[in-house]
Every structure is written in structure tokens, then in C-alpha cells.
């Protein structure tokens, strides 16, 4: 991913967030990294995340209460978990929120419930065949972004499994990087 971003002229790094950690530990760790990048002179911060990492990137972009030095300017999410309120992909919810997460915690960590008109732009992509995180997650977020009049691009490709990453040699889904390149450059 970092090489691809470098090839399209975007400085990037990999952030390894705490896995199997309860909320808000991963979010706090990512916000600390954003602060560190801003302190080092980063003018614009974009996040790219996939699956559970897409949920974290979206949460950092949407969760209320972030000071300016933790602001996210845009987000790119691939086959992301966007809702903790659905029963789809329950294992990720249990890891992040615990077995008995109350409805308020589930709602406050569901990206589709956090969208406001002030939210940053989003590029979201998914495949309709994803057996782990159904495309319903992308549709829910897309509907919330549209309702909030947040600039966004959404692409759901007919074929492809979960964990495609750059989706090289993955049929039609492989075009997501071409679409994202143009979109990312529009955000600069």
C-alpha cells in the first residue's frame, strides 16, 4: 500500500494499531499518531483502512470531540466494518466492544451513526460477494454520507472475496486503485 501511494505521489506510512484491544484503545493510539504527524508538519492527513482497519480509520475521521491536531482530512475505506449495530461480522464487534456491549456503545462506534455535515470526504469500496463483511456495511455508510451531504465516492464491485488489498489481478475490483488515485488527488 505504501509503495502504491508513493507511486501516485502521496507520502505514506503504515500504522500498526493495537489488535485485540478494547475500544477506545485503538482509536486513542491512532489519534496519537495523527497528532505526532501533525506536530512533524503534516498539513493534510488522509487515512486508508481495510476491514477492521477501515472501521478504525472511519472512526478516527468521524468520532466527535477530536481537537484540530487530530483532524482527518479524508478517508479511504475498503470492505470496512461500518456498523456495530448489525449482527453481521459479530467477531469484530466482540473483540472491540466485548460480548455484552450496550446499545449506546454499539451506536457510538457505528460509523453510519456518526456522520455529520462537517464530516470529511470518504472514498468507500467493497465487493458484493464479500463473505465476511457484507456490502450492507458500505451501503449503510453511503446512505449516511448522502444524507449528511458529505462528499463521497462509493464503489461496490460484483465479484471478489474479502481481504483484497490493492486487488491486483482481482478482475473488475482491481480498478479501485485507479478510481481512488484520482479521488485522492482531488482531496489535496
Amino acid at each position: 500500500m505504501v509503495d502504491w501511494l508513493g507511486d501516485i505521489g502521496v507520502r505514506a506510512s503504515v500504522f500498526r494499531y493495537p489488535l485485540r484491544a478494547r475500544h477506545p484503545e485503538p482509536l486513542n493510539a491512532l489519534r496519537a499518531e495523527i497528532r505526532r504527524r501533525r506536530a512533524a508538519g503534516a498539513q493534510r492527513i488522509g487515512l486508508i483502512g481495510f476491514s477492521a482497519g477501515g472501521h478504525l480509520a472511519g472512526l478516527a475521521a468521524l468520532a466527535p470531540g477530536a481537537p484540530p491536531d487530530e483532524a482527518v482530512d479524508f478517508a479511504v475505506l475498503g470492505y470496512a466494518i461500518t456498523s456495530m449495530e448489525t449482527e453481521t461480522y459479530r467477531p469484530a464487534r466482540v473483540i472491540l466492544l466485548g460480548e455484552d456491549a450496550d446499545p449506546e456503545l454499539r451506536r457510538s462506534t457505528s460509523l453510519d451513526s456518526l456522520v455529520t455535515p462537517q464530516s470529511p470526504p470518504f472514498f468507500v469500496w467493497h465487493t458484493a460477494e464479500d463473505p465476511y463483511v457484507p456490502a450492507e456495511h458500505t451501503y449503510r455508510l453511503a446512505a449516511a454520507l448522502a444524507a449528511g451531504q458529505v462528499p463521497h465516492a462509493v464503489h461496490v464491485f460484483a465479484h471478489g472475496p474479502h481481504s483484497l488489498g490493492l486487488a491486483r489481478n482481482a478482475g473488475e475490483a482491481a480498478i479501485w486503485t485507479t478510481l481512488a488515485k484520482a479521488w485522492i488527488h482531488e482531496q489535496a
Side-chain angles (χ1 to χ4, degrees), residues 13-98:
S13 64
V14 173
F15 174 70
R16 299 194 191 287
Y17 63 93
L19 297 175
R20 301 214 174 273
R22 290 282 168 87
H23 175 74
E25 186 179 343
L27 179 60
N28 291 341
L30 180 52
R31 284 181 164 173
E33 177 66 8
I34 293 168
R35 284 192 310 273
R36 189 179 76 71
R37 294 285 174 174
R38 292 256 187 234
Q43 297 297 307
R44 296 190 55 75
I45 301 275
L47 300 177
I48 298 179
F50 301 94
S51 195
H55 176 264
L56 179 58
L59 194 57
L62 295 170
D69 64 344
E70 294 177 3
V72 173
D73 297 295
F74 63 90
V76 176
L77 310 183
Y79 43 90
I81 299 164
T82 65
S83 177
M84 294 293 165
E85 295 183 289
T86 69
E87 290 305 314
T88 58
Y89 210 65
R90 187 173 180 278
R93 188 186 78 229
V94 170
I95 290 168
L96 187 64
L97 304 180

XYZ file of all heavy atoms in Angstrom, residues 13-98:
648
model
N 2.742 6.133 5.339
C 3.383 5.205 6.258
C 2.335 4.211 6.738
O 1.137 4.427 6.579
C 4.002 5.944 7.445
O 2.992 6.586 8.208
N 2.797 3.143 7.336
C 1.906 2.130 7.886
C 1.794 2.372 9.382
O 2.800 2.567 10.071
C 2.452 0.709 7.628
C 1.614 -0.338 8.342
C 2.511 0.433 6.138
N 0.570 2.371 9.873
C 0.334 2.470 11.314
C -0.205 1.132 11.784
O -1.224 0.664 11.292
C -0.673 3.592 11.633
C -1.057 3.624 13.076
C -0.143 4.013 14.037
C -2.318 3.222 13.480
C -0.489 4.028 15.381
C -2.672 3.232 14.815
C -1.755 3.626 15.766
N 0.466 0.539 12.716
C 0.022 -0.746 13.270
C -0.684 -0.459 14.598
O -0.036 -0.132 15.577
C 1.197 -1.681 13.458
C 1.885 -1.979 12.137
C 2.828 -3.148 12.214
N 3.645 -3.261 11.032
C 3.246 -3.673 9.846
N 2.004 -4.010 9.674
N 4.074 -3.754 8.824
N -1.985 -0.578 14.574
C -2.775 -0.270 15.762
C -2.863 -1.492 16.671
O -2.638 -2.622 16.227
C -4.160 0.244 15.371
C -5.029 -0.741 14.629
C -5.924 -1.548 15.316
C -4.978 -0.848 13.241
C -6.737 -2.441 14.649
C -5.786 -1.746 12.572
C -6.660 -2.537 13.278
O -7.463 -3.428 12.615
N -3.193 -1.294 17.936
C -3.306 -2.428 18.864
C -4.444 -3.356 18.451
O -5.582 -2.930 18.335
C -3.612 -1.783 20.216
C -3.380 -0.326 20.048
C -3.430 -0.013 18.591
N -4.109 -4.613 18.224
C -5.109 -5.618 17.871
C -5.640 -6.277 19.134
O -4.969 -6.312 20.159
C -4.495 -6.677 16.966
C -4.004 -6.177 15.616
C -3.302 -7.306 14.869
C -5.141 -5.623 14.783
N -6.823 -6.808 19.025
C -7.480 -7.488 20.154
C -7.529 -6.601 21.395
O -7.435 -7.068 22.517
C -6.797 -8.812 20.459
C -6.800 -9.754 19.285
C -6.912 -11.190 19.727
N -7.054 -12.074 18.597
C -8.209 -12.400 18.018
N -9.322 -11.898 18.452
N -8.255 -13.217 16.997
N -7.648 -5.310 21.154
C -7.754 -4.329 22.234
C -9.154 -3.744 22.229
O -9.764 -3.569 21.176
C -6.723 -3.225 22.045
N -9.645 -3.428 23.395
C -10.987 -2.864 23.527
C -10.990 -1.373 23.201
O -10.019 -0.657 23.450
C -11.512 -3.051 24.958
C -11.827 -4.472 25.313
C -13.184 -4.880 24.694
N -13.403 -6.297 24.778
C -13.948 -6.914 25.805
N -14.346 -6.248 26.850
N -14.109 -8.218 25.774
N -12.112 -0.953 22.672
C -12.360 0.467 22.426
C -12.302 1.209 23.759
O -12.799 0.707 24.756
C -13.742 0.620 21.786
C -14.164 2.036 21.591
N -13.623 2.826 20.623
C -15.052 2.808 22.275
C -14.181 4.025 20.702
N -15.039 4.042 21.685
N -11.645 2.346 23.857
C -11.125 3.197 22.791
C -9.613 3.077 22.560
O -9.023 3.945 21.920
C -11.474 4.591 23.292
C -11.279 4.496 24.765
C -11.743 3.087 25.129
N -8.973 2.014 23.041
C -7.517 1.920 22.906
C -7.019 2.061 21.463
O -6.102 2.865 21.204
C -6.999 0.617 23.526
C -5.491 0.542 23.526
C -4.956 -0.742 24.153
O -5.707 -1.435 24.869
O -3.781 -1.044 23.898
N -7.575 1.337 20.472
C -7.087 1.531 19.098
C -7.302 2.965 18.591
O -6.421 3.535 17.944
C -7.897 0.530 18.281
C -8.309 -0.515 19.273
C -8.540 0.244 20.557
N -8.457 3.548 18.890
C -8.737 4.919 18.461
C -7.769 5.897 19.109
O -7.235 6.784 18.442
C -10.188 5.301 18.784
C -10.603 6.724 18.416
C -10.447 6.989 16.926
C -12.042 6.979 18.871
N -7.527 5.747 20.384
C -6.572 6.638 21.064
C -5.177 6.511 20.478
O -4.467 7.509 20.324
C -6.553 6.356 22.563
C -7.834 6.782 23.252
O -8.599 7.591 22.720
N -8.094 6.219 24.414
N -4.767 5.299 20.132
C -3.447 5.093 19.532
C -3.358 5.775 18.167
O -2.351 6.428 17.852
C -3.159 3.602 19.410
N -4.411 5.653 17.356
C -4.405 6.294 16.040
C -4.435 7.809 16.178
O -3.716 8.521 15.474
C -5.579 5.801 15.193
C -5.684 6.390 13.780
C -4.375 6.260 13.004
C -6.839 5.740 13.031
N -5.214 8.313 17.092
C -5.239 9.770 17.301
C -3.871 10.286 17.757
O -3.455 11.375 17.352
C -6.330 10.135 18.301
C -7.718 10.071 17.691
C -8.783 10.450 18.669
N -10.041 10.737 17.986
C -11.167 10.962 18.615
N -11.220 10.950 19.942
N -12.268 11.208 17.930
N -3.170 9.526 18.576
C -1.817 9.926 18.994
C -0.880 9.979 17.785
O -0.041 10.886 17.678
C -1.279 8.966 20.060
N -1.026 9.027 16.867
C -0.199 9.029 15.654
C -0.542 10.231 14.770
O 0.351 10.854 14.194
C -0.395 7.727 14.879
C 0.361 7.655 13.578
C 1.879 7.630 13.713
O 2.407 7.514 14.835
O 2.560 7.725 12.668
N -1.811 10.557 14.662
C -2.208 11.735 13.875
C -1.595 12.989 14.497
O -1.043 13.840 13.789
C -3.747 11.838 13.775
C -4.303 10.671 12.946
C -4.170 13.181 13.183
C -5.812 10.517 13.031
N -1.665 13.119 15.829
C -1.046 14.271 16.499
C 0.447 14.332 16.216
O 1.007 15.399 15.960
C -1.270 14.204 18.016
C -2.645 14.570 18.479
C -2.728 14.771 19.993
N -2.152 13.699 20.770
C -2.799 12.591 21.152
N -4.075 12.420 20.808
N -2.198 11.676 21.878
N 1.102 13.173 16.265
C 2.543 13.120 16.003
C 2.846 13.579 14.581
O 3.773 14.362 14.354
C 3.045 11.688 16.222
C 4.554 11.562 16.192
C 5.001 10.126 16.434
N 4.821 9.267 15.276
C 5.546 9.337 14.165
N 6.502 10.230 14.040
N 5.324 8.511 13.168
N 2.056 13.130 13.627
C 2.258 13.534 12.224
C 2.015 15.025 12.038
O 2.734 15.700 11.314
C 1.338 12.737 11.299
C 1.652 11.281 11.238
C 2.877 11.066 10.427
N 3.258 9.672 10.473
C 4.236 9.183 9.766
N 4.925 9.972 8.975
N 4.556 7.934 9.860
N 0.981 15.550 12.689
C 0.710 16.994 12.593
C 1.858 17.790 13.205
O 2.299 18.791 12.648
C -0.598 17.337 13.294
C -1.817 16.794 12.604
C -2.560 17.867 11.866
N -3.818 17.311 11.358
C -4.163 17.374 10.097
N -3.398 17.967 9.218
N -5.305 16.857 9.694
N 2.360 17.344 14.363
C 3.483 18.026 15.027
C 4.733 17.993 14.156
O 5.563 18.911 14.226
C 3.756 17.394 16.385
N 4.854 16.974 13.317
C 6.009 16.860 12.419
C 5.810 17.656 11.131
O 6.664 17.632 10.249
C 6.266 15.387 12.092
N 4.675 18.363 11.020
C 4.466 19.252 9.888
C 3.465 18.807 8.846
O 3.289 19.493 7.832
N 2.790 17.689 9.039
C 1.796 17.237 8.057
C 0.644 18.237 7.996
O 0.039 18.554 9.013
C 1.271 15.851 8.414
N 0.372 18.725 6.800
C -0.713 19.689 6.611
C -2.062 18.996 6.424
O -3.074 19.488 6.874
C -0.420 20.573 5.392
C 0.828 21.418 5.548
C 0.696 22.407 6.681
O -0.270 23.163 6.734
N 1.649 22.416 7.586
N -2.045 17.874 5.701
C -3.273 17.123 5.435
C -3.036 15.675 5.829
O -1.990 15.110 5.542
C -3.671 17.221 3.967
C -4.002 18.675 3.588
C -4.626 18.835 2.219
N -5.826 18.054 1.960
C -7.043 18.322 2.438
N -7.231 19.324 3.251
N -8.075 17.580 2.101
N -4.017 15.090 6.468
C -3.942 13.698 6.904
C -5.104 12.942 6.286
O -6.272 13.289 6.499
C -4.033 13.569 8.447
C -2.921 14.333 9.140
C -4.093 12.091 8.850
C -1.618 13.621 9.289
N -4.781 11.928 5.525
C -5.776 11.016 4.990
C -5.507 9.639 5.557
O -4.350 9.284 5.800
N -6.538 8.888 5.789
C -6.399 7.542 6.322
C -6.948 6.538 5.320
O -7.964 6.793 4.677
C -7.170 7.403 7.638
C -6.762 8.332 8.777
C -7.682 8.126 9.982
C -5.310 8.115 9.165
N -6.262 5.407 5.207
C -6.732 4.302 4.389
C -6.779 3.078 5.287
O -5.805 2.786 5.989
C -5.814 4.036 3.186
C -5.779 5.263 2.269
C -6.263 2.796 2.427
C -4.869 5.113 1.066
N -7.912 2.398 5.277
C -8.039 1.193 6.088
C -8.951 0.184 5.443
O -9.851 0.533 4.667
N -8.701 -1.076 5.767
C -9.471 -2.189 5.211
C -10.064 -3.005 6.342
O -9.426 -3.206 7.378
C -8.568 -3.087 4.360
C -7.924 -2.351 3.218
C -6.658 -1.811 3.350
C -8.591 -2.181 2.024
C -6.059 -1.119 2.314
C -8.006 -1.490 0.975
C -6.737 -0.962 1.117
N -11.273 -3.486 6.155
C -11.961 -4.353 7.098
C -12.022 -3.694 8.483
O -12.533 -2.582 8.609
C -11.298 -5.731 7.125
O -12.125 -6.670 7.759
N -11.472 -4.333 9.516
C -11.478 -3.725 10.848
C -10.624 -2.463 10.875
O -10.947 -1.494 11.564
C -10.985 -4.730 11.892
N -9.543 -2.447 10.102
C -8.729 -1.233 9.990
C -9.493 -0.109 9.311
O -9.269 1.070 9.591
N -10.420 -0.460 8.429
C -11.297 0.534 7.816
C -12.253 1.115 8.837
O -12.551 2.315 8.813
N -12.727 0.267 9.742
C -13.575 0.775 10.816
C -12.805 1.777 11.656
O -13.300 2.860 11.968
C -14.097 -0.368 11.698
C -14.894 0.121 12.861
N -14.334 0.304 14.108
C -16.182 0.504 12.961
C -15.262 0.768 14.927
N -16.405 0.899 14.258
N -11.566 1.445 12.015
C -10.765 2.355 12.827
C -10.493 3.665 12.095
O -10.618 4.745 12.678
C -9.450 1.688 13.240
C -8.501 2.548 14.066
C -9.159 3.029 15.363
C -7.218 1.774 14.361
N -10.137 3.590 10.819
C -9.894 4.815 10.039
C -11.158 5.671 9.986
O -11.109 6.891 10.178
C -9.433 4.455 8.626
N -12.297 5.039 9.743
C -13.562 5.775 9.706
C -13.922 6.354 11.056
O -14.418 7.482 11.150
N -13.666 5.609 12.121
C -13.959 6.104 13.462
C -13.100 7.324 13.782
O -13.591 8.322 14.332
C -13.743 4.988 14.487
C -14.308 5.201 15.882
C -15.806 5.456 15.851
C -13.989 3.990 16.755
N -11.832 7.281 13.412
C -10.957 8.437 13.639
C -11.439 9.656 12.853
O -11.319 10.790 13.317
C -9.516 8.093 13.266
N -11.995 9.422 11.680
C -12.490 10.525 10.851
C -13.815 11.078 11.345
O -14.118 12.258 11.130
C -12.634 10.061 9.402
N -14.613 10.252 12.022
C -15.986 10.643 12.346
C -16.287 10.854 13.826
O -17.238 11.569 14.154
C -16.953 9.582 11.814
C -17.009 9.422 10.297
C -17.808 8.193 9.920
C -17.575 10.671 9.652
N -15.550 10.215 14.725
C -15.880 10.300 16.145
C -15.812 11.745 16.627
O -14.865 12.463 16.312
C -14.944 9.410 16.973
N -16.800 12.163 17.374
C -16.822 13.559 17.833
C -15.750 13.823 18.877
O -15.211 12.912 19.503
C -18.217 13.704 18.437
C -18.630 12.319 18.800
C -17.947 11.395 17.829
N -15.426 15.103 19.028
C -14.542 15.519 20.103
C -13.071 15.567 19.770
O -12.252 15.842 20.648
N -12.687 15.311 18.521
C -11.272 15.360 18.165
C -10.827 16.817 18.028
O -11.457 17.589 17.315
C -11.013 14.611 16.872
N -9.741 17.205 18.704
C -9.213 18.553 18.522
C -8.595 18.711 17.130
O -8.367 17.706 16.435
C -8.154 18.673 19.624
C -7.777 17.277 19.961
C -8.975 16.429 19.661
N -8.308 19.942 16.704
C -7.784 20.163 15.350
C -6.529 19.359 15.019
O -6.368 18.935 13.872
C -7.494 21.667 15.317
C -8.438 22.241 16.318
C -8.564 21.208 17.399
N -5.680 19.102 15.995
C -4.454 18.358 15.682
C -4.698 16.865 15.511
O -3.774 16.108 15.186
C -3.359 18.615 16.711
C -3.690 18.138 18.115
O -4.880 17.878 18.409
O -2.750 18.037 18.925
N -5.928 16.424 15.691
C -6.304 15.024 15.449
C -7.271 14.903 14.278
O -7.798 13.823 14.000
C -6.944 14.420 16.698
C -5.997 14.293 17.866
C -6.669 13.763 19.129
O -7.878 13.438 19.083
O -5.985 13.692 20.145
N -7.493 16.001 13.564
C -8.468 16.004 12.472
C -7.993 15.153 11.303
O -6.810 15.120 10.970
C -8.716 17.433 12.001
N -8.936 14.485 10.678
C -8.698 13.688 9.486
C -9.305 14.448 8.314
O -10.456 14.875 8.376
C -9.334 12.288 9.638
C -9.235 11.499 8.346
C -8.688 11.538 10.797
N -8.537 14.624 7.243
C -8.998 15.405 6.103
C -9.775 14.587 5.074
O -10.587 15.132 4.340
C -7.812 16.098 5.437
C -7.160 17.095 6.385
O -7.821 18.085 6.742
O -6.000 16.859 6.793
N -9.501 13.286 5.010
C -10.267 12.401 4.135
C -9.971 10.966 4.542
O -8.992 10.688 5.230
C -9.954 12.621 2.649
C -8.533 12.319 2.254
C -8.161 11.044 1.831
C -7.566 13.309 2.285
C -6.859 10.758 1.462
C -6.251 13.041 1.919
C -5.900 11.757 1.499
N -10.847 10.051 4.109
C -10.666 8.639 4.440
C -11.013 7.766 3.238
O -11.948 8.063 2.498
C -11.547 8.254 5.632
N -10.232 6.709 3.087
C -10.460 5.693 2.064
C -10.683 4.378 2.800
O -9.800 3.930 3.537
C -9.259 5.578 1.102
C -9.473 4.440 0.103
C -8.997 6.900 0.385
N -11.854 3.789 2.627
C -12.195 2.554 3.329
C -12.476 1.443 2.330
O -13.284 1.613 1.421
C -13.431 2.746 4.205
C -13.466 3.944 5.158
C -14.742 3.904 5.991
C -12.235 3.980 6.049
N -11.833 0.310 2.526
C -12.069 -0.863 1.698
C -12.716 -1.957 2.521
O -12.226 -2.292 3.602
N -13.816 -2.486 2.035
C -14.595 -3.554 2.674
C -14.600 -3.415 4.195
O -14.366 -4.344 4.948
C -14.130 -4.944 2.231
C -12.629 -5.158 2.168
C -11.929 -5.616 3.268
C -11.927 -4.900 0.993
C -10.566 -5.811 3.223
C -10.557 -5.091 0.932
C -9.880 -5.548 2.053
O -8.519 -5.737 2.004
N -14.910 -2.199 4.625
C -14.830 -1.840 6.050
C -16.055 -2.274 6.834
O -17.179 -2.273 6.326
C -14.662 -0.328 6.189
N -15.816 -2.605 8.070
C -16.890 -2.787 9.037
C -17.337 -1.383 9.408
O -16.531 -0.590 9.908
C -16.383 -3.550 10.274
C -15.874 -4.931 9.876
C -17.472 -3.633 11.331
C -15.015 -5.591 10.920
N -18.570 -1.047 9.135
C -19.024 0.314 9.423
C -20.065 0.375 10.529
O -20.299 1.441 11.082
C -19.611 0.993 8.164
O -20.787 0.306 7.771
C -18.594 1.019 7.035
N -20.688 -0.750 10.831
C -21.744 -0.733 11.840
C -21.487 -1.783 12.914
O -21.232 -2.943 12.613
C -23.103 -1.005 11.193
O -24.100 -1.042 12.198
N -21.583 -1.352 14.146
C -21.522 -2.269 15.279
C -22.934 -2.604 15.753
O -23.111 -3.319 16.724
C -20.715 -1.652 16.428
C -19.266 -1.448 16.101
S -18.430 -3.020 15.892
C -16.918 -2.509 15.105
N -23.932 -2.065 15.051
C -25.327 -2.323 15.412
C -25.914 -3.526 14.677
O -26.913 -4.078 15.120
C -26.172 -1.080 15.152
C -25.773 0.075 16.057
C -26.636 1.289 15.855
O -26.513 1.944 14.792
O -27.437 1.575 16.762
N -25.310 -3.907 13.569
C -25.810 -5.071 12.849
C -25.220 -6.337 13.465
O -24.260 -6.290 14.222
C -25.409 -5.028 11.360
O -24.004 -5.226 11.257
C -25.812 -3.722 10.703
N -25.783 -7.449 13.112
C -25.246 -8.729 13.597
C -24.224 -9.311 12.630
O -23.663 -10.360 12.884
C -26.389 -9.724 13.833
C -27.256 -9.348 15.020
C -26.472 -9.173 16.319
O -25.618 -10.011 16.652
O -26.715 -8.157 17.014
N -23.990 -8.615 11.516
C -23.006 -9.115 10.567
C -21.600 -8.858 11.095
O -21.318 -7.826 11.700
C -23.179 -8.443 9.193
O -23.067 -7.043 9.337
C -24.524 -8.795 8.588
N -20.754 -9.797 10.870
C -19.367 -9.814 11.326
C -19.243 -9.508 12.817
O -18.518 -8.638 13.278
C -18.458 -8.918 10.485
C -17.064 -9.487 10.487
C -16.816 -10.714 9.906
C -16.025 -8.836 11.112
C -15.560 -11.283 9.943
C -14.763 -9.400 11.158
C -14.541 -10.623 10.571
O -13.296 -11.189 10.627
N -19.987 -10.273 13.572
C -20.042 -10.163 15.024
C -18.681 -10.323 15.701
O -18.409 -9.653 16.702
C -21.036 -11.197 15.554
C -21.308 -11.093 17.019
C -22.438 -12.059 17.403
N -22.710 -11.980 18.807
C -22.011 -12.617 19.731
N -21.013 -13.394 19.386
N -22.320 -12.484 21.008
N -17.764 -11.198 15.203
C -16.481 -11.368 15.897
C -15.711 -10.056 16.090
O -15.118 -9.836 17.144
C -15.711 -12.342 15.001
C -16.762 -13.097 14.265
C -17.887 -12.121 14.068
N -15.722 -9.190 15.096
C -15.008 -7.919 15.236
C -15.641 -7.061 16.324
O -14.934 -6.400 17.098
C -15.006 -7.167 13.906
N -16.970 -7.068 16.375
C -17.654 -6.288 17.412
C -17.316 -6.807 18.799
O -17.056 -6.037 19.724
C -19.166 -6.308 17.192
C -19.874 -5.344 18.144
C -21.377 -5.442 18.065
N -21.800 -6.619 18.800
C -22.639 -7.532 18.344
N -23.165 -7.421 17.153
N -22.974 -8.568 19.066
N -17.290 -8.105 18.973
C -16.998 -8.692 20.277
C -15.572 -8.357 20.716
O -15.336 -8.006 21.871
C -17.243 -10.215 20.256
C -16.724 -10.880 21.515
C -18.732 -10.489 20.083
N -14.617 -8.431 19.788
C -13.232 -8.089 20.128
C -13.136 -6.633 20.555
O -12.505 -6.307 21.558
C -12.291 -8.363 18.939
C -12.151 -9.875 18.722
C -10.917 -7.729 19.166
C -11.487 -10.248 17.407
N -13.752 -5.742 19.797
C -13.615 -4.311 20.062
C -14.457 -3.835 21.238
O -13.998 -3.018 22.044
C -14.000 -3.509 18.810
C -13.744 -2.007 18.880
C -12.253 -1.709 19.004
C -14.311 -1.317 17.649
N -15.672 -4.353 21.375
C -16.612 -3.806 22.361
C -16.966 -4.765 23.495
O -17.581 -4.342 24.473
C -17.907 -3.378 21.661
C -17.760 -2.388 20.509
C -19.121 -2.071 19.915
C -17.030 -1.137 20.938
N -16.635 -6.039 23.354
C -16.998 -7.015 24.368
C -18.298 -7.708 24.019
O -19.076 -7.246 23.182
